[in-house]
Each structure stands twice: as structure tokens, then as C-alpha cells.
Amino acid sequence: MTLNEIGRQAKEVSRLLGILGSREKNMGLEEAARSLLEGEEEILLANQEDCEKAKNSGMSQGLLDRLMLTPARVQAMADGLLQVAALEDPVGEVLSVKLRPNGLQIGQKRVPLGVIGMIYEARPNVTADAFGLCFKSGNAVILKGGSDAIRSNQAIVRCLREGLVHAGLPADAVQLVEDTNRDTTRELMRLNQYVDVLIPRGGAGLIRAVVENSTVPVIETGTGNCHIYVDESADFNMALDIIYNAKTQRIGVCNACESLVVHRAIAERFLPLLKRKLKDKQVEIRADEAACAIEPSFTPAAEEDWGTEYLDYILSLKLVDSLDEAIAHINHYNTGHSEAIVTSDYFNAQRFLNEVDAAAVYVNASTRFTDGEEFGFGAEIGISTQKLHARGPMGLKELTTTKYIIYGDGQIR
Amino acid sequence: MTLNEIGRQAKEVSRLLGILGSREKNMGLEEAARSLLEGEEEILLANQEDCEKAKNSGMSQGLLDRLMLTPARVQAMADGLLQVAALEDPVGEVLSVKLRPNGLQIGQKRVPLGVIGMIYEARPNVTADAFGLCFKSGNAVILKGGSDAIRSNQAIVRCLREGLVHAGLPADAVQLVEDTNRDTTRELMRLNQYVDVLIPRGGAGLIRAVVENSTVPVIETGTGNCHIYVDESADFNMALDIIYNAKTQRIGVCNACESLVVHRAIAERFLPLLKRKLKDKQVEIRADEAACAIEPSFTPAAEEDWGTEYLDYILSLKLVDSLDEAIAHINHYNTGHSEAIVTSDYFNAQRFLNEVDAAAVYVNASTRFTDGEEFGFGAEIGISTQKLHARGPMGLKELTTTKYIIYGDGQIR
């Protein structure tokens, strides 16, 4: 099937999905979950083939871990669909109705986006997760996963589609682009006629490629060069706990802390404590000259350190003379994800919240909370680091748009 | 000044604008309005030069009308700024605060987008209007108008900047790209480092070029192939009045009606009345075969008529056998702008509202109401025909985004 046909079918099915009630959509999700569990063996076999091929071609252990499915992971995918079924359906809510002086009633109603394109890498669980969220929010989804996971994705999508058919719903609510060559991906990025939005999920390279090449509107997700600023008035123990958590609880995630900014007035007392706190995780600290003068065991930072998302046991560290300098530094180098201040000062907390430009700005808490579950959305399709449409964790509501519905009785201008 | 410098300055100034209170912003708007009136002579002289040059190079009368400024039009620009000053400031509103089980308070706050790039054609009034809305919503704006209006735009922007300086505010809140060659425009479309969103305003060609070439997120505005469906149960007089209004009240606008869809069961009675109603405006009707058989004076429609935004005294007309066929036709050919049904049937009205995919869907009213003023927004920067971020008329609120502000007392994961 050509990409154009996939697009046309998705658009056609999206008309139907847009007017389905929650009861039917939830039945579809439940049948899809059941079908995933019934197809476990087929999915695991397909995944085994993917993994062997990836191993032979030298995939790193970290990526192999992401690619590999187990019975528990298949169960988790099915559970994920049931969790989405339990979430409130955002579609159909009328946000407001205004009566205009001429008698027109103008309402704004939440409706699905239509057709969502997902472009992602070799994590086959994204296949089921993305389907669940897109389907519950009334959208058709076109999935384009990485070539390394193609057999796994084929097996998962086959199960999802069987589940839908069982529930009397159209299989084409979820379609997989099986042709994994780059030209097809580029074509998908320019399928404006049928695709309403593209959501890339994966590394910085993938996301940049989608932003660079798409004519379809893109929601940029992902990279997080997250800072923690330790203010002059910070409670040291709180700061150390937050830094330890944000850096080391999980290093490969976009809301992990990558860079510290510390007020110079407390540096002599704070840096030795910091060094001791991070010792058991062997975190390397790449610091500016002034910090290295206080703690010679720190590695001297290079300019590129300030802009680097390490996703590793590494932290950059910069001393500043003022909150102004801290905010300017963070606004210059951050990626618009999550930024935190540790402070006891009311005015500094307020200024940081107001002036730091990011999706999530924290006072006295770990940046690791930027997450759909933690924010209470139940599930998320990604974390938007751009400003248009959605910013921060994206749940079901962020997969909708609105339309104006206007009730008249013959009004003309 | 290079575009890069313009971008850097805009980003820098946007930090300040984002935390200005309404009082200061309103003072800036008032001073800018006063400065426009003081500079009237300079603006009119510059505009005269633009108009002469345009006339010599053969610009059409319609475009010349749009380019030409008069004392009344300068007054209207100044009044527009004062109107925007009177509108409620959307910035700073906290949409919700949720207390999470771990004690985190997660609020979602409305904040400016940052830096907005406007790309438009030869209507110098857009220069002042766009500045007013962007400034009131706390955004810095980079204006790139058409080369035909360059002298007018320079004079207007000079006045606006002088007004801001008078109010003690940074002139760089509004900057004009004076270099009007295409390479510079393309560069602006890829200035992701500094520009948060691009809003193109103008003809279909301009908008397509921006969508095709931008890596900066774009809000697509504009083209409207708007339909009116006359249902079997329509009140004929109401239908005729609505069609007459939507087609002829102003032909060059995006919310004018371009195409009719009429139920076959009423065609024999309705088409002669339609022909008579539109006679005094000499509206040409390009109809399908079945309609031409009823009214031989209609012009036979070609396939491309169904997708054409005429912006002229022309209407396409198609007969259908059912509401389903009407909806399918409209969803296939519309541009996502404004669509209307004229009906007395409750169920048909509901189905049309639910199933037609457009920014604004009307029952028994003219499509001409899709407009920021008519919707009660006070002013608009354009009408979005896409689904991401904003759909329909865009007022001040649509020029903002949100950020999550999180209050903790030491929470870690």
C-alpha cells in the first residue's frame, strides 16, 4: 500500500472516529488489549527476530534493552490500553457558549485533531501506547517506527487491528508504515493533505530531522537540558536531595538534571557537600574555573558543556553572582523543558517562576516530576518543549483541537 | 542590521515584555497611537512614494486600494491601538492549580509566546495592527511586509518605536525587516533560535510558501472555500438571505461563500428563486449538470470549480441526494474555514455541526461572521485554518502559550 493510500484511509476513518462515543472507544481499547495478550507469542517471536538482527549488526546494550519485549512488557502494553480506557474522554466538551448581541450562540467545542503521524525509534511499546492515546482522543494514527523494530511493530499492530475489528470498529484507526526507508519518512513529513500533526519521539537527531523537513505541523518533544539553580538562601540538605534525585534516579530521561547553577556566596560551603553527596554514584562534575578553584577534583568545563544533555552520570556546574545571572544563563542554554530553583527567598522564587522560559519551572522540587503520570494526566504521548499548541507533558487533551459551533436563526451581516 | 541581530534583539526584549504589567503595555500602546497621529504627514508622504512606484510598475487597482493610506486610515490605525489597549490582558492568568498527592502544587499559567514573526503583503495597516496585538500579549514582533509597502512600513514602524520610547519602553518590541529580498524572507522562516512562531497573512501563494519553507512553527491563516448547504427542510427565504449576504456583502474576504450545495428534492423550486435573488449582483453560478438542466442559464462547472476560492461574484453549485453526500462533498473540498447549513431539521443540524470539519460550522447563519470582532474578541491577527494551537479567529489569547509553575517543599521522586 502506498503512503498516499494509508493517508487517505486514515483521513476517512478519522471522520468516523471523531463522532464515536467513549463507550465504543473504550470497547475498542479493551479488545485491543485482549488481542495483544492473545498474540503474545507471535509478538515475542517477532521481537526475538528483531533483537537477533540488531545484535548481529552491533546495536548497543542500552538500545537493545529498549527494543526487547518480554511477557511482562506485553502485559504492560495491554494494561496501558486499559488505563487509557479508564481516562476521561476529552472529546465533545463545549468549553464555552457565548450569546452575541445579534442572537448568535457561539460555542467552542473540543474535537479530535484528525490524523496523527508518529515517527519514533526502536521502542516497540510506543506502538501500543501511541495507538491508545490517539484512539481514545478520537484520532486515526499512522505509525512510523524504526526499522530495527519493524517485525515487532508489525505483530503489535496486527493484534491491535484485530482487536478493533472484534469490537466492530475500523482497523484503519491504526496503520503502520511498513516501508522503513528514509524517502517514505520524508514523504510522510509532507503529507499535508491527510496528516494533521506529526509527533516525533526519540533522540535529538530524529526530532531535528522532522522539524527541518516537515511541512505538516510538528509538535516538538524531547530534549531536556534541565538546570537546578541553588540560590544563596537554599536549604542545603533540600538542595542536595533534589540534585541527587534529579541527576541519578534515572539518567537516560529528558527530565533528568544536566546542569547546576550555584550562587557564588555559598560555593565554598556547598561544593564539598555536593561532591560528597554525588560520590556513591560517581557523578562527574564539569565546572567553571571558579568552582574548580574551590574543588580541584572537578573537571574543567568546556563551552559546549553548558548546552549538553548528557543523559549520563555527568553534571555541568557554573557559579553566578546573582539571580539575574542565573536566569540569563538558564534562558540562554536551556531547551525549554524543566528548570528548578532551590531557595528560601520568596522574591527569588517568584522571579524564577516568572522569568525562566521553560515548559515547567519548579521551586524546591526535582525536575523529574515533569511527566504525564506525575502531573495527573494518567498517560502522556510525549513532552512538548515548544510553545505552540501544547507545552509540557501531553495527555489526551493535547491530542484535540477545537471548533466553533454557531447556532443561528437567520443572522446575516 | 542582520536578521540574526534582529532576532537576538527581539528575543532579548521579549524577556522584558513577558513580565510587563498591563498598565505599562497600555501606556506603550497609547503613546504609539499618539505618535502615529503626530507622524501622519511623514507616513502619508512615504505611502505616496510607495503608491506612485506601484502604479508605475502596473499594480492592479484592487491592490493599490489596499496599499493606499489616507488620513482616515492613519486615524483608524491609531484607534485600533487604543482599542487593543482597552482589551483584557490574557497574560498571567493561572488557568488551574492542582494539588498532587505528594504535596506539589502544579499550576498552568498563561504566558506570551515570545517572538512572533509576521510575513505579509502590501497592506501597511497590518503593520500597526499586528504590533498592537503582539505587544499587548507581551510578545516582541518582527515584521516582514511586502516590498511594495516598504516606505510606508518604515514610516509606521518609526512612529511606533518612537511612541514606545516615549513611554519608557524598548523600541525593539517592534522591528521591521527592511531588506525585502526573498533570501531574507527564507532566512526568517528558519530562524528557530529566536522566533517562536510565524504568522503569514496574505494570498494563498504567500501562505503556501511559508508553510513549505519554514522550520519555525507556522500558524496557517487564510484561504476560505466556504460552503452553504441548503437542506431539504430549509426555510427558502432564510437560505436566500444568507446566501446573498455570504456571497455579496464583501467578495474579497476569506469568510465569503464560494460554493453552494443544494438538496436535489428542492432544486426545482429553489434554483429559480436563487437565480432571481442573485441577479442584481450579477453573480455567475457554475453548476453541475443536474442543476444546469433545471436552470440552463447557469454555467457548467468544471472539476476545479469545487476547490476554487473565487473572491469574486461567482458561486459554484452542486446538487446532492442526501445530507451524507453534502457533508462528504464539503469535507473533501473545503479549506477548513467556515461552513453553513440552512435547515429546519434538528437532527440534520446536529449532524452537520458534528461531522463537518472546519474552524467554524454554522446552522442558519451567514459564514461572514467568522471574524474576531464578530466573535467578541475585540480584534484579530488572522483566522487560523489549521488545527494546531489555534483554530478560527485569533485574538490576544491565541498569541499566548502556557507554562507549568510548580511549588514544592523539597519533593523528590
Side-chain angles (χ1 to χ4, degrees):
Chain A
M1 196 153 46
T2 68
L3 195 58
N4 217 53
E5 285 163 344
I6 291 178
R8 200 175 37 73
Q9 289 190 12
K11 182 57 97 186
E12 203 176 302
V13 163
S14 77
R15 307 284 184 209
L16 172 64
L17 298 183
I19 53 172
L20 282 185
S22 306
R23 197 193 300 166
E24 291 145 303
K25 290 190 283 191
N26 292 343
M27 270 177 49
L29 289 168
E30 283 157 23
E31 287 295 337
R34 196 190 322 257
S35 178
L36 275 183
L37 293 177
E38 278 172 16
E40 185 192 290
E41 200 176 335
E42 175 198 345
I43 293 170
L44 292 179
L45 272 172
N47 182 250
Q48 216 175 321
E49 282 184 54
D50 280 338
C51 288
E52 266 160 35
K53 203 172 161 229
K55 215 180 295 175
N56 292 339
S57 64
M59 185 183 267
S60 76
Q61 194 51 47
L63 289 178
L64 266 178
D65 280 348
R66 290 182 166 201
L67 174 57
M68 197 175 66
L69 293 176
T70 60
R73 285 193 177 174
V74 175
Q75 181 73 50
M77 286 194 284
D79 290 347
L81 294 181
L82 297 180
Q83 276 164 31
V84 169
L87 294 177
E88 204 184 332
D89 187 345
V91 172
E93 183 190 2
V94 176
L95 305 173
S96 70
V97 183
K98 279 183 186 144
L99 178 64
R100 298 292 304 153
N102 59 3
L104 279 183
Q105 293 182 71
I106 302 184
Q108 193 180 18
K109 186 176 175 176
R110 204 179 279 294
V111 298
L113 283 165
V115 177
I116 297 176
M118 291 284 305
I119 299 181
Y120 54 108
E121 292 173 338
R123 291 177 59 181
N125 59 313
V126 172
T127 305
D129 293 354
F131 157 71
L133 286 161
C134 292
F135 185 76
K136 177 71 183 242
S137 50
N139 296 290
V141 65
I142 298 175
L143 300 166
K144 168 68 193 61
S147 55
D148 293 320
I150 183 68
R151 291 169 197 80
S152 314
N153 287 336
Q154 283 168 330
I156 293 167
V157 168
R158 210 176 305 133
C159 291
L160 297 173
R161 289 168 62 96
E162 278 173 23
L164 290 175
V165 170
H166 247 242
L169 294 165
D172 287 338
V174 51
Q175 293 180 92
L176 180 70
V177 180
E178 309 207 356
D179 176 359
T180 58
N181 83 52
R182 272 164 192 268
D183 287 349
T184 310
T185 311
R186 287 203 174 221
E187 207 190 318
L188 177 57
M189 295 183 202
R190 307 182 81 87
L191 207 61
N192 295 55
Q193 196 186 350
Y194 298 122
V195 181
D196 293 290
V197 55
L198 277 181
I199 305 178
R201 270 186 70 171
L206 171 83
I207 289 163
R208 198 167 41 240
V210 175
V211 169
E212 286 278 320
N213 295 303
S214 284
T215 49
V216 174
V218 174
I219 300 182
E220 207 173 330
T221 65
T223 50
N225 184 25
C226 306
H227 297 73
I228 295 173
Y229 168 56
V230 185
D231 189 32
E232 204 178 347
S233 67
D235 175 313
F236 280 11
N237 284 328
M238 189 185 284
L240 292 168
D241 287 345
I242 288 174
I243 293 166
Y244 185 86
N245 178 260
K247 179 69 257 180
T248 73
Q249 195 234 357
R250 218 175 139 193
I251 56 162
V253 290
C254 59
N255 56 20
C257 177
E258 304 290 0
S259 188
L260 297 182
V261 181
V262 177
H263 197 288
R264 199 179 301 267
I266 56 167
E268 292 222 15
R269 284 176 296 137
F270 186 72
L271 298 191
L273 300 173
L274 177 70
K275 184 185 157 190
R276 196 185 313 155
K277 181 81 180 182
L278 296 174
K279 204 173 177 184
D280 72 315
K281 296 285 187 183
Q282 294 175 293
V283 177
E284 180 191 345
I285 296 181
R286 299 192 186 165
D288 64 3
E289 222 172 295
C292 287
I294 295 169
E295 268 298 343
S297 65
F298 291 170
T299 315
E303 168 63 25
E304 61 263 32
D305 279 297
W306 310 125
T308 300
E309 185 189 21
Y310 300 114
L311 301 172
D312 200 347
Y313 290 102
I314 307 172
L315 259 177
S316 65
L317 191 161
K318 187 183 166 62
L319 299 189
V320 293
D321 284 314
S322 64
L323 177 64
D324 282 307
E325 197 186 340
I327 292 173
H329 176 78
I330 291 171
N331 279 339
H332 187 76
Y333 288 104
N334 84 350
T335 53
H337 199 294
S338 302
E339 309 298 330
I341 183 175
V342 185
T343 188
S344 302
D345 186 286
Y346 169 84
F347 292 104
N348 289 359
Q350 291 297 108
R351 280 199 55 205
F352 195 86
L353 287 172
N354 286 335
E355 296 177 32
V356 168
D357 190 14
V361 187
Y362 292 84
V363 177
N364 295 330
S366 169
T367 54
R368 288 279 292 114
F369 288 106
T370 305
D371 171 277
E373 293 273 356
E374 294 292 335
F375 274 33
F377 300 168
E380 71 172 38
I381 200 150
I383 294 172
S384 163
T385 54
Q386 59 163 42
K387 295 180 179 177
L388 227 54
H389 186 71
R391 201 175 188 202
M394 295 187 288
L396 289 172
K397 207 174 72 178
E398 284 70 27
L399 297 178
T400 64
T401 180
T402 58
K403 77 175 170 193
Y404 286 102
I405 53 174
I406 300 114
Y407 298 86
D409 47 17
Q411 281 83 353
I412 57 172
R413 265 180 97 171
Chain B
M1 196 153 42
T2 68
L3 196 56
N4 217 53
E5 285 164 342
I6 291 178
R8 198 173 40 70
Q9 289 190 12
K11 182 57 96 183
E12 203 177 301
V13 163
S14 76
R15 307 284 183 207
L16 172 65
L17 299 182
I19 53 172
L20 281 184
S22 306
R23 197 194 301 166
E24 290 145 302
K25 290 190 283 192
N26 291 345
M27 269 176 50
L29 290 167
E30 285 158 22
E31 286 296 336
R34 194 190 323 255
S35 178
L36 275 182
L37 294 177
E38 279 173 15
E40 187 192 290
E41 199 176 337
E42 176 197 344
I43 293 170
L44 293 178
L45 272 172
N47 182 251
Q48 216 176 322
E49 282 184 54
D50 280 336
C51 288
E52 267 160 33
K53 202 170 164 230
K55 215 179 295 174
N56 292 339
S57 63
M59 185 183 268
S60 76
Q61 194 53 46
L63 289 178
L64 266 177
D65 280 347
R66 290 180 168 206
L67 174 59
M68 197 176 65
L69 293 176
T70 61
R73 286 192 174 175
V74 175
Q75 181 72 50
M77 287 196 282
D79 290 347
L81 294 181
L82 298 180
Q83 275 163 32
V84 170
L87 295 177
E88 204 184 332
D89 187 346
V91 172
E93 183 190 2
V94 176
L95 305 173
S96 71
V97 183
K98 278 181 186 144
L99 179 63
R100 298 293 302 153
N102 59 4
L104 279 182
Q105 293 183 71
I106 301 184
Q108 193 179 19
K109 185 175 174 176
R110 204 178 279 296
V111 298
L113 283 165
V115 176
I116 296 176
M118 291 286 305
I119 298 182
Y120 53 108
E121 291 172 336
R123 289 177 60 182
N125 60 313
V126 172
T127 305
D129 293 354
F131 157 72
L133 286 162
C134 291
F135 185 77
K136 178 71 184 245
S137 50
N139 296 290
V141 66
I142 298 175
L143 300 166
K144 168 70 193 62
S147 56
D148 293 322
I150 183 67
R151 290 169 198 79
S152 314
N153 287 336
Q154 284 169 329
I156 293 166
V157 168
R158 210 176 306 134
C159 291
L160 296 174
R161 289 169 60 98
E162 277 173 22
L164 290 176
V165 170
H166 247 243
L169 293 165
D172 287 337
V174 51
Q175 293 180 90
L176 180 70
V177 179
E178 309 207 356
D179 175 0
T180 57
N181 83 51
R182 272 165 192 265
D183 288 347
T184 309
T185 310
R186 289 204 173 217
E187 207 189 319
L188 177 58
M189 295 183 199
R190 308 183 81 87
L191 207 60
N192 295 54
Q193 196 187 350
Y194 298 122
V195 181
D196 293 291
V197 55
L198 278 180
I199 304 178
R201 272 187 69 170
L206 171 82
I207 288 163
R208 198 165 41 240
V210 175
V211 169
E212 286 277 322
N213 295 304
S214 283
T215 50
V216 174
V218 174
I219 299 182
E220 208 173 330
T221 64
T223 50
N225 183 26
C226 305
H227 297 74
I228 294 173
Y229 168 56
V230 186
D231 190 31
E232 204 179 347
S233 67
D235 175 311
F236 280 11
N237 285 329
M238 189 185 285
L240 293 168
D241 286 345
I242 287 174
I243 293 166
Y244 185 85
N245 177 261
K247 178 70 254 180
T248 71
Q249 194 232 0
R250 217 174 140 195
I251 56 161
V253 290
C254 57
N255 56 17
C257 178
E258 304 291 359
S259 188
L260 297 182
V261 182
V262 176
H263 197 289
R264 199 178 303 265
I266 56 167
E268 292 221 15
R269 285 176 295 137
F270 186 72
L271 297 190
L273 300 174
L274 177 71
K275 184 184 156 190
R276 195 185 313 153
K277 180 81 181 183
L278 296 174
K279 203 172 177 185
D280 71 315
K281 296 285 184 182
Q282 295 176 294
V283 177
E284 178 191 348
I285 296 180
R286 300 193 185 166
D288 64 5
E289 223 171 293
C292 287
I294 296 169
E295 268 297 344
S297 66
F298 291 170
T299 315
E303 167 62 26
E304 62 263 29
D305 279 298
W306 309 125
T308 300
E309 186 187 21
Y310 300 115
L311 301 172
D312 200 350
Y313 291 101
I314 308 173
L315 260 177
S316 64
L317 190 161
K318 184 182 170 61
L319 299 189
V320 293
D321 285 314
S322 64
L323 177 64
D324 282 306
E325 196 186 341
I327 292 173
H329 175 80
I330 291 172
N331 280 339
H332 187 76
Y333 289 103
N334 84 351
T335 53
H337 199 294
S338 302
E339 308 298 330
I341 183 174
V342 184
T343 188
S344 302
D345 186 286
Y346 169 83
F347 293 104
N348 289 358
Q350 291 296 109
R351 280 199 55 204
F352 195 86
L353 287 173
N354 286 334
E355 296 178 31
V356 168
D357 190 15
V361 187
Y362 293 83
V363 177
N364 295 330
S366 169
T367 55
R368 288 278 293 116
F369 287 107
T370 304
D371 171 277
E373 292 274 353
E374 293 292 334
F375 273 34
F377 302 168
E380 70 172 38
I381 199 149
I383 294 172
S384 164
T385 54
Q386 59 162 43
K387 294 181 180 178
L388 228 53
H389 186 73
R391 202 174 186 202
M394 294 187 289
L396 289 173
K397 207 174 71 178
E398 284 70 27
L399 297 178
T400 64
T401 181
T402 58
K403 78 175 169 192
Y404 287 102
I405 51 173
I406 300 115
Y407 298 86
D409 46 17
Q411 280 83 353
I412 57 173
R413 266 181 94 173

